[in-house]
């Protein structure tokens, strides 16, 4: 559902001083392995890590400008490296076993930006063989029937694969903050402290790091001892630091920023692994695996971890859909669309009888049905009578169903044209403010007609326009989908959710986020109580997809109805237009008329018109 996910905007993190750290071009390599960067056309080493002599026994100047084979003597290793360097090679059977200095290594190869990367790591045995790890993990994930059970099983399986002391499953929330939703400790764990339920500030994961995490790449940090420089040949033939010349986005051995190493040391962690859970190029969360002592995990184990994270993401989507009753809501959507279509047919038949005398019962039915159709609410108006409509319960039932469709607190149907109006359902801002929100699309909000799925969702409307606390309380979450191409629209709203959160250390203030403090390792992880506010409960991908499909289906119904009655009805009285203006009474829907604090403005209006008046 990549096209849907691309239009779900979670609250944006506050800018932080360290967001632009050159993490991908850090210019250093982790000390446990050797990196060589080769020019494929020549087969010569352009960059090598400074620890090559310590690990492989060959000084860096003797490697730079030569073939990687200069660091090996074993005949099988030389043959395998020659195969890696074969001209035109695009894919590699990782890992490749090698031997140097009497030690076993494995090389992991990939191509990026016209360069061949050889990452040479020491070989270690895994706790279990590859097939056992995959089969056990797959079985444990597949057997889960609840989201929380999945969290716990995935953390347990990560411990099974890694044999580390502690596994935390960390889910990202609005504004980049996160919370530990699952945790598992090894029976003999040397890190007994639990962070289950603790929140972590967004500043703990710089934006540059998230860009790399979106690739799905696992990061292993076997030691917190620091990194070594990547070297290249200088003008005089000497080995000099490469600086930021090499993009190491895909490298296992990419160096660690000193701040990151200090962060883990302050946590009492000697080795850690971070691997993302990605859903359609978005980082849903992280598995963070900690060990008290230094520890290295081999390539096969890391591949199992990546497979396990993909299994987890797939099963998570399924179980979220089950717990959110998406299938039931899909059936509800189909029933509502069918009812709208039936009522449109009824209106067309009434229009065809326009020349006949109109009795009071028929006139009442025309009014009731047209009123409901104008608000997408013709639910259960009988074609043979008006008893449901006259009882006033059709709208009540429709209101409940429209909200249940998106699991929303409120909804608004905006009708365009000369007789246009706003029909409000549930807990919403007032009609004037709703029109103001709709006018933001194409200006402060993305246009709704710019993709295959014409839909937009955010859990933090306040990130797009300055809004007052009353409006934020009612409509922090907005899900919008256009109906047809005439400017009609459905908006669903969710209230702001304020969480009394327990944080692992006090979250930094705005001033601290923009200070040099962000380049120093964090040392405070003690429990700190502070509210997490400014956003609604996040929209699920399946909910956004369902809303888009529902609005598209309603648009198709209206378009067919307009074509069907165009020859019998003046254009201004087509069923797609409201016959009566449906204004919600305060007595029926007790929503404060002072709740709106967003001024009405057209997309071309000056930005100052959006300033809060609350």
């Amino acid at each position: 559902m990549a096209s849907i996910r691309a239009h779900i905007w979670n609250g944006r993190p506050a800018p932080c001083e360290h967001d632009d750290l050159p993490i991908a071009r850090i210019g250093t390599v982790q000390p446990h392995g050797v990196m060589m960067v080769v020019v494929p056309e020549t087969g010569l080493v352009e960059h090598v890590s400074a620890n090559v002599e310590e690990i492989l026994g060959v000084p860096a100047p003797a490697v730079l400008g030569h073939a990687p084979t200069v660091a090996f003597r074993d005949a099988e290793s030389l043959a395998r490296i020659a195969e890696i360097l074969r001209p035109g090679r695009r894919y590699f059977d990782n890992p490749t076993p090698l031997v140097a200095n009497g030690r076993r290594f494995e090389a992991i190869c990939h191509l990026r930006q016209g360069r061949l990367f050889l990452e040479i790591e020491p070989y270690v045995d895994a706790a279990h063989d590859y097939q056992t790890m995959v089969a056990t993990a797959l079985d444990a994930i597949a057997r889960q029937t609840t989201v929380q059970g999945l969290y716990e099983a995935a953390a347990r399986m990560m411990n099974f694969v890694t044999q580390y002391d502690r596994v935390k499953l960390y889910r990202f929330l609005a504004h980049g903050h996160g919370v530990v939703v699952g945790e598992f400790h090894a029976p003999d764990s040397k890190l007994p402290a639990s962070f289950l339920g603790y929140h972590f500030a967004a500043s703990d994961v710089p934006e540059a790091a998230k860009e790399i995490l979106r690739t799905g790449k696992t990061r292993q940090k076997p030691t917190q001892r620091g990194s070594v420089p990547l070297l290249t040949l200088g003008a005089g033939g000497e080995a000099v630091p490469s600086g930021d010349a090499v993009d190491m986005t895909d490298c296992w051995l990419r160096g660690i920023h000193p701040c990151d190493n200090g962060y883990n040391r302050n946590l009492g962690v000697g080795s850690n692994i971070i691997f993302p859970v990605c859903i359609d190029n978005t980082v849903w969360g992280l598995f963070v695996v900690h060990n008290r002592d230094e520890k290295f995990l081999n390539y096969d184990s890391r591949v199992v971890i990546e497979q396990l994270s993909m299994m987890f993401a797939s099963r998570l989507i399924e179980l979220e859909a089950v717990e959110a009753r998406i299938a039931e809501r899909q059936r509800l959507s189909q029933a509502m669309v069918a009812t709208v279509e039936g009522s449109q047919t009824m209106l067309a038949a009434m229009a065809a009888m326009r020349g006949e005398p109109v009795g009071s019962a028929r006139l009442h039915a025309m009014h009731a049905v047209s009123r409901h159709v104008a608000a997408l609410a013709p639910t259960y108006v009988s074609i043979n009578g008006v008893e449901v409509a006259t009882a006033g319960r059709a709208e009540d039932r429709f209101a409940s169903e429209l909200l249940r469709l998106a699991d929303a607190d409120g909804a608004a149907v905006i009708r365009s044209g000369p007789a246009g109006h706003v029909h409000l359902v549930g807990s919403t801002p007032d009609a004037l403010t709703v029109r103001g929100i709709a006018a933001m699309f194409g200006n402060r909000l993305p246009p709704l007609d710019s993709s295959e799925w014409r839909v937009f969702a955010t859990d933090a409307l306040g990130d797009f326009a300055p809004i007052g606390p009353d409006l934020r309380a009612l409509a922090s979450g907005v899900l919008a989908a256009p109906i047809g191409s005439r400017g009609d629209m459905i908006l669903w709203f969710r209230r702001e959710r304020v969480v009394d959160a327990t944080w692992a250390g006090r979250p930094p203030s705005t001033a601290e986020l923009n200070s040099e403090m962000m380049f120093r390792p964090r040392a405070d992880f003690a429990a700190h109580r502070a509210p997490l506010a400014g956003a609604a409960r996040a929209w699920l991908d399946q909910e956004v997809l369902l809303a888009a499909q529902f609005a598209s289906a309603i648009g198709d119904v209206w378009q067919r109805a307009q074509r069907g009655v165009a020859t019998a009805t003046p254009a201004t009285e087509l069923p797609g237009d409201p016959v009566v203006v449906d204004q919600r009474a305060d007595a029926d829907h007790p929503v404060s008329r002072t709740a709106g604090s967003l001024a009405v403005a057209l997309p071309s209006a000056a930005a100052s018109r959006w300033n809060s008046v609350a």
Side-chain angles (χ1 to χ4, degrees), residues 329-378:
R329 287 152 66 180
Q330 286 173 332
R331 290 190 291 270
L332 173 64
S333 171
Q334 293 166 358
M336 294 175 72
V337 171
T339 306
V340 171
E341 187 159 25
S343 297
Q344 291 281 23
T345 302
M346 188 192 309
L347 280 178
M350 290 177 177
M353 294 186 292
R354 190 165 294 233
E356 301 179 10
V358 180
S360 60
R362 181 177 295 165
L363 183 62
H364 190 110
M366 288 176 66
H367 257 279
V369 174
S370 62
R371 181 181 182 187
H372 293 323
V373 170
L376 285 191

Side-chain angles (χ1 to χ4, degrees), residues 20-30 35 208 212 219 221 226-231 241-249 251-261:
D20 296 327
L21 282 173
I23 295 175
R25 294 181 177 272
I26 194 168
T28 62
V29 173
Q30 294 190 61
M35 182 184 295
I212 296 177
R219 287 306 312 281
K221 305 170 188 176
S227 302
V228 299
L230 191 66
L231 304 176
S242 302
D244 62 359
V246 180
D247 183 348
M248 293 189 277
T249 295
C251 295
W252 297 98
L253 289 173
R254 174 167 45 85
I256 309 301
H257 193 278
C259 188
D260 194 347
N261 282 325

Side-chain angles (χ1 to χ4, degrees), residues 231-489:
L231 304 176
T232 191
L233 286 176
E238 73 283 9
V240 298
S242 302
D244 62 359
V246 180
D247 183 348
M248 293 189 277
T249 295
D250 298 326
C251 295
W252 297 98
L253 289 173
R254 174 167 45 85
I256 309 301
H257 193 278
C259 188
D260 194 347
N261 282 325
Y263 181 102
N264 284 293
R265 284 194 298 269
N266 291 340
L267 267 175
V269 171
S271 176
N272 72 313
I273 308 171
I274 295 177
F275 51 101
V277 177
C278 293
I279 299 177
D280 290 325
N281 202 37
T282 299
V283 185
W284 174 93
L286 306 171
F287 282 98
V288 182
V289 189
H290 288 159
N291 202 64
R292 179 66 181 84
D293 303 319
E294 293 187 359
K295 186 171 183 176
F296 178 70
L297 206 63
N298 72 8
Y299 179 79
D300 281 351
S301 298
R302 289 169 354 228
V303 169
V304 172
I305 286 175
E306 292 186 344
Q307 293 174 334
L308 180 51
S309 70
M310 289 187 284
M311 298 176 203
F312 170 84
S314 177
R315 187 59 176 156
L316 175 66
I317 292 172
E318 295 173 0
L319 291 179
E320 282 185 336
V322 170
E323 293 192 359
R325 301 180 179 272
I326 294 296
E328 176 185 317
R329 287 152 66 180
Q330 286 173 332
R331 290 190 291 270
L332 173 64
S333 171
Q334 293 166 358
M336 294 175 72
V337 171
T339 306
V340 171
E341 187 159 25
S343 297
Q344 291 281 23
T345 302
M346 188 192 309
L347 280 178
M350 290 177 177
M353 294 186 292
R354 190 165 294 233
E356 301 179 10
V358 180
S360 60
R362 181 177 295 165
L363 183 62
H364 190 110
M366 288 176 66
H367 257 279
V369 174
S370 62
R371 181 181 182 187
H372 293 323
V373 170
L376 285 191
T379 315
Y380 309 122
V381 177
S382 170
I383 196 168
N384 297 317
V386 294
E387 65 280 355
V388 177
T390 55
R393 292 177 185 146
E395 284 185 282
D396 292 340
R397 186 162 182 180
F398 164 75
S400 173
E401 290 179 347
L402 187 62
L403 297 183
R404 187 154 60 99
L405 186 72
D407 192 14
D409 299 308
V413 181
I414 302 176
R415 304 302 303 276
S416 63
H421 74 288
V422 177
H423 182 84
L424 302 175
V425 174
S427 178
T428 71
D430 59 53
L432 196 63
T433 302
V434 168
R435 284 198 180 278
I437 294 172
M440 293 173 66
F441 289 98
N443 181 19
R444 289 179 178 268
L445 299 176
L448 288 171
D449 57 356
S450 61
S451 71
E452 172 190 358
W453 293 108
R454 302 163 65 212
V455 67
F456 170 86
T458 181
D459 57 5
L461 180 63
D463 284 4
F464 297 91
I467 62 177
D470 291 339
L471 180 55
R472 189 169 60 245
L474 285 173
S476 279
V478 175
L479 170 56
I483 307 170
S485 57
R486 301 176 56 190
D488 301 324
M489 180 187 302

